[in-house]
Amino acid sequence: MRIAIGSFVQESQSFSPIKGSWQHFGPNEIVRGQGMLDEAIGTRTEVAGAIAVASQHDVQLVPLLRARASASSGPILREVYESIRDELLARLREAAAEPLDGVLMVMHGAMSAEGYDDATGDTLQRARQIIGPRTPMVATLDLHANITRQMCAAADGLVGYLTFPHIDLYETGLRGMRLLHAAIFGKAQPVTVMVKLPMIVPAENAQTTHGVIHDLLEASRAHLEESGIYDISIFPMQPWMDVPEAGCSVVVVADEARRARAEAIAAQLAGVWWQRKEEHRVTLAPTDRTIAEALASAHKPWVLADSADAPSSGAPGDSTITLAALLNAQPPADCYTNIVDPQAVARMIECGVGSQVTLALGASSGASLYRPIEVTGKVRLISDGDFVHKGEGFRGVTIHRGRTAVLQSGHVHIVVMERACLQWDPELYRSVGLEPTDAQIVIVKSPAGFRAAYSPFAAAIHVLDAPGVCTPNLTALPYTRIPRPMWPFDPLDDWRAEA
Ligand SMILES: [Zn+2]
């Protein structure tokens, strides 16, 4: 049996000042052919999960191409998106020249490009045209996907992460492959049913460890015992996509013959979610006051999330707000933070390790939201910046943040990076000699993904009230294209869930 596997992963943030470009899809971010399988060995990624199923079932995986943006950003530039998509599709066409039994597509689901509000659906739709209506195709997605009618129509099944923080990439790969395998052997005739809710929710309170999403997933587990119900995903869409089909959704993959039952399950889960939507509101901690409290505390480390500047959500990672607050507080104990600023990195490398420098730091993307601040300190360390993810989720995956230098100003240690990167893992600091458990304050630029790795040792965790394109304060953002009415912007008391 031959199954083609391809992957195109990027998360788009409509309000980001930075478009997705070739900078985000450098040589490390695009891997072709066999390299895609080789690099997955020993990791906890979807592709590794797919390989595990393939090896059990005598499946020959035909690797196409894996593209994964180094960080989230605004929508991808049209020529970049079309170029990657077309190469992926050309490889699929080539693979389909010999009989192909199925296709697994590892996607994110909140990817847009110039001219393509739903780039995931566009890619899947074109893949469907190549393989024809009868070859099963399953797509795996991030829990923050924005599900569209086009995606549901193009794929036989959509399978999303069931965890946030995301720690089940591998298991999602297993689920996707098993569904595909069942479809290929004719045991399953899957259809994908969706209920779209007229709401978008902040990422900070959409975790799966507790609260409404956790309870919805618990409830859905019971339905998976029913015959002909193959998979259920809950998608609290990442809220910064200003697109016409935006909204949270519930997806049930079921046998064609059980479509009505699948619709009823999806509507029931969506109804419960709707009733409990107020639970998604976020309480933010005032930045200066929280830093003062942390510095006065007998316990450490306090992990403070500047989620408004989270690169995983599409922010540039160059905010100076928390950095300035830390420096102003003149902490008597070590505090760690990080910022994207390629020019400052170049200056520090030029000056060399051990030298005293004064430089302008931050606001490097040219976004109007922040201003650079002048910092004087000592260059403590220079690194190529690469580190390997050790936490669950992306375990084993190398993160490339470009050249990286550590600047120490008093007790504030600033990791200055050429490129924005995922901030879920303490390796961001450990890889440059900073041990988070030794610090009084550790700043992470992430809404919740960091909790999996940081919660076990954090003395306290707070989400700071800071400005940024990824603020959880959604009503402060300039949406113009999402459907209205939409919660939390409009009163919507009479909405009823229907598939
Ligand atoms: Zn996500």
Side-chain angles (χ1 to χ4, degrees), residues 179-195:
L179 181 59
L180 197 53
H181 194 261
I184 292 167
F185 281 99
K187 280 182 257 163
Q189 291 267 313
V191 288
T192 301
V193 166
M194 162 179 66
V195 171

Side-chain angles (χ1 to χ4, degrees), residues 11 108 142-145 161 164 166 238 312 424:
E11 184 168 359
H108 183 288
D142 190 280
L143 163 139
H144 294 109
Y161 299 161
F164 181 47
H166 306 317
Q238 65 94 334
S312 55
W424 296 352

